Amino acid sequence: MDPTVSKSGHSQPFLFFNLATVKIGEINRYVVHYDLYQGEELPAELTLDSLWLKIKNVDPLTYRAGYLAGPYVIYCDIRMGSYDHSKTVFSTVDYPQYESTLQAQQQKLVELSLHRIQKRYTWTIDIISQVILSTSAAVSYEITIATNQDNLLSGIVPDFPPSLKTYSQRLSITKLDTLDLWKLPTQITSRKTKKHLVILTHGMHSNVSADMLYIQEQIYKAQPKGSDMIYIVDGFTKNVCQTEKGVRYLGKNVAEYILDELYDDSVTEISFIGHSLGGLIQTFAIAYIAVKCPWFFQKVRPVNFITLASPLLGIVTDNPTYIKMFLSLGVIGKTGQDLGLDNASEDEHPLLYLLSGEPVHSILKNFQRRTVYANAVNDGMVPLYSSSLLFLDYKDILEKLHDMEHYLGDDPSAESSDTLASQAFSKIWKSINESPFLKDKRPIPKSTFLETAASILLPPGPTDAFIGKPKSRYDPIIHDKIYTVADIPEPNSKDETSLLRNTNIFLQTFSPRENDKKDFRELEEAIARRWHDGMSWRKVIVALKPDAHNNIIVRRRFTNAYGWGVIDHLISNHFSSSSIESHSGVKIDVPSILSNVDASWVVNNATNGVFDQGPTGMMSTVHDMLDEVAKQTLNNLNESVEENQLDPNDEVVRYDESNLDLYL
């Protein structure tokens, strides 16, 4: 029976109860409004008693066994509607709360403080799936708001059905899903408005919709006022769980999405932002668009080409020989072979070599800006030499890092906010990093894959001070320079010998001590030179705490908050009003470019082979198959419950009985 609502406010302790699910890349946002009082005058009996919020992962406890695969974990954060990471939070009760890994049957309890007299309070609650290997697995959760903490801790569930209805005249809640968050901003424009299309592209085992939402929102916040140009931020979402199938396959999908779904006559400018593997994918997309639709870059002006921690030179010489062998054998599918610089045939160059040539090269020359962001430390996925296109002032970077020892050398778990995973992370971190690095000015150690994996699975959170006090943060940008052709040493010159045989920790992998890697070092150098041929590059090197590979894009708003300064830099230098330059409509003669080059490599071998996924890619397919079996098992269990009339107070059974559709 639905409770009645009194005119004065609350009629019973539970004010809101919703049960929902999120799949891979999905977000549910709840915008909560609470009126402390109504009308223009303060009521005589005004109270400032807090509300309480509980978010619980209601999947069965046995689902924790799937933790490493990611399917049954959610991220959540709760913040004041007025929260801005660039502004100081003065009251501790206003600090955002978050949980990086809310596992099955775990819950997050948060006080919604009403500590000052104001007519309306607003909170924003984000609940995001952490699924990475399955398109069908869904995480189920419940969200409850009550008038006191005891009601939520008691385990008692509201006696009204889960819905978006609120049981207080003072409380109103709007729920936005993934589609709302990505498509609603595009609906405010008209076809007559000139559009600057901003394409976001994700990396390996990632997604656009959840993992790049923060960047999307920051770009929209920078929307130039009074301009006849408006940003439209989008990305191809259906490469999810397909990232082992190769750069060609993924890039073709992105290109066709732009041409078939996003382009119309109102699109006059375009920018690309790619994270990790996404930097290579967007590069191939540019080549594919140029070949299939030569008119595109004659009508649409290319503005920003941006990569963040992208393996532009592959990942061969920075890893042990056996890693190269695994890549060649297709352990991570066709993508691994691309990153391992394998040739499709003896007569063909590796794909990453081809990407650095035509027609991409001539198109990129006409971009207003070309910028690479690269992690100097704490990134065990993509080495600095690869994400920075090799040629760099490594001495300056090493000196800057030593100056930042007090910032980067601390045990990150000691600074973690009070999250459920912080203690576990502390144990793992201490086991793999007994002594603080940078001590006594030793060379900076290379982050290993295991260290990066530990940071991803149990991410260290920033301190409350970092989140609430901008002045407490250290600037993560340690190097920012435009490298022109004049900065690149001539082949076989003394400067090049000094660079490639340097004892600097960042370049030791290029010293040809391993004969089996010498050829790859020379190939990586050749690719880097092709990228710099007649083109300047802005190289922004950053120093972030673990896990830097995800921090650099702020994959999750607070878990990866160390990357806020990187995104601030990206926005202010590429999308702010001051970065916009007037232009007369640059025309790129693509047909002429294509007439002088062999671009057959762009349209060849861009199909989806049955074995392109490799063993790791097959995990998502197998996981979806197992998920279908699990669904059938739950159905059978539900039938058994009905037949045997089990105790209706059994929580797991009761959820399966009354809300089975939400689980499945």
Side-chain angles (χ1 to χ4, degrees), residues 93 128 169 200-201 250 269 310 317 451 551 565 637 652:
V93 293
I128 303 177
Q169 290 183 339
L200 306 182
T201 306
L250 301 167
E269 295 184 348
S310 291
T317 60
E451 288 176 311
N551 289 343
L637 175 61
V652 174

Side-chain angles (χ1 to χ4, degrees), residues 509-534:
T509 54
F510 280 90
S511 181
R513 297 168 186 168
E514 298 181 62
N515 292 330
D516 59 337
K517 286 189 177 181
K518 180 178 179 181
D519 291 342
F520 285 109
R521 181 191 65 77
E522 293 173 350
L523 176 57
E524 289 166 334
E525 179 190 341
I527 296 172
R529 288 191 175 280
R530 281 162 63 90
W531 278 118
H532 289 90
D533 183 19

Side-chain angles (χ1 to χ4, degrees), residues 369-380:
R369 287 178 286 263
R370 295 165 298 278
T371 308
V372 295
Y373 287 82
N375 283 312
V377 290
N378 294 324
D379 188 339

Side-chain angles (χ1 to χ4, degrees), residues 204 238-251 253 277 332-338 605-614 617-618 620-621:
M204 179 76 75
K238 295 182 181 179
N239 274 342
V240 66
C241 289
Q242 306 288 316
T243 52
E244 302 87 358
K245 292 185 176 180
V247 172
R248 281 187 173 95
Y249 172 80
L250 301 167
N253 288 345
L277 181 66
I332 55 173
K334 188 67 175 69
T335 298
Q337 295 173 339
D338 290 339
N605 301 316
T607 57
N608 177 19
V610 66
F611 296 109
D612 283 351
Q613 282 183 284
M618 288 297 292
S620 57
T621 303

Side-chain angles (χ1 to χ4, degrees), residues 85-86 214-215 218-219 222 273 304 306-308 369-374 474-482 538-542 544 552 554 562-579:
H85 75 271
S86 65
Y214 182 84
I215 295 180
Q218 298 309 305
I219 294 174
I273 304 176
N304 298 301
I306 304 169
T307 64
L308 298 113
R369 287 178 286 263
R370 295 165 298 278
T371 308
V372 295
Y373 287 82
Y474 199 94
D475 184 3
I477 310 299
I478 62 172
H479 185 80
D480 183 357
K481 177 182 175 181
I482 296 177
R538 184 173 186 174
K539 302 185 180 184
V540 184
I541 313 304
V542 305
L544 299 171
I552 201 170
V554 190
Y562 290 124
W564 285 345
V566 179
I567 304 304
D568 288 346
H569 182 280
L570 186 155
I571 299 298
S572 64
N573 286 278
H574 301 84
F575 296 99
S576 67
S577 298
S578 60
S579 67

Side-chain angles (χ1 to χ4, degrees), residues 301-355:
R301 176 181 180 249
V303 181
N304 298 301
F305 179 88
I306 304 169
T307 64
L308 298 113
S310 291
L312 300 171
L313 307 182
I315 54 171
V316 179
T317 60
D318 200 60
N319 285 296
T321 301
Y322 66 84
I323 296 293
K324 164 59 182 167
M325 180 183 68
F326 287 155
L327 294 175
S328 298
L329 291 175
V331 172
I332 55 173
K334 188 67 175 69
T335 298
Q337 295 173 339
D338 290 339
L339 296 177
L341 301 179
D342 285 341
N343 298 356
S345 67
E346 293 184 0
D347 299 328
E348 184 177 344
H349 289 291
L351 178 61
L352 269 60
Y353 181 90
L354 296 173
L355 285 176

Side-chain angles (χ1 to χ4, degrees), residues 193-239:
T193 304
K194 293 181 181 179
K195 297 174 184 175
H196 180 156
L197 193 60
V198 183
I199 303 299
L200 306 182
T201 306
H202 63 83
M204 179 76 75
H205 298 310
S206 184
N207 61 80
V208 168
S209 49
D211 295 352
M212 304 190 80
L213 176 67
Y214 182 84
I215 295 180
Q216 178 247 54
E217 292 184 327
Q218 298 309 305
I219 294 174
Y220 276 130
K221 285 183 180 179
Q223 194 82 256
K225 297 179 180 179
S227 172
D228 62 349
M229 186 75 66
I230 190 168
Y231 294 133
I232 298 295
V233 188
D234 211 322
F236 183 65
T237 60
K238 295 182 181 179
N239 274 342

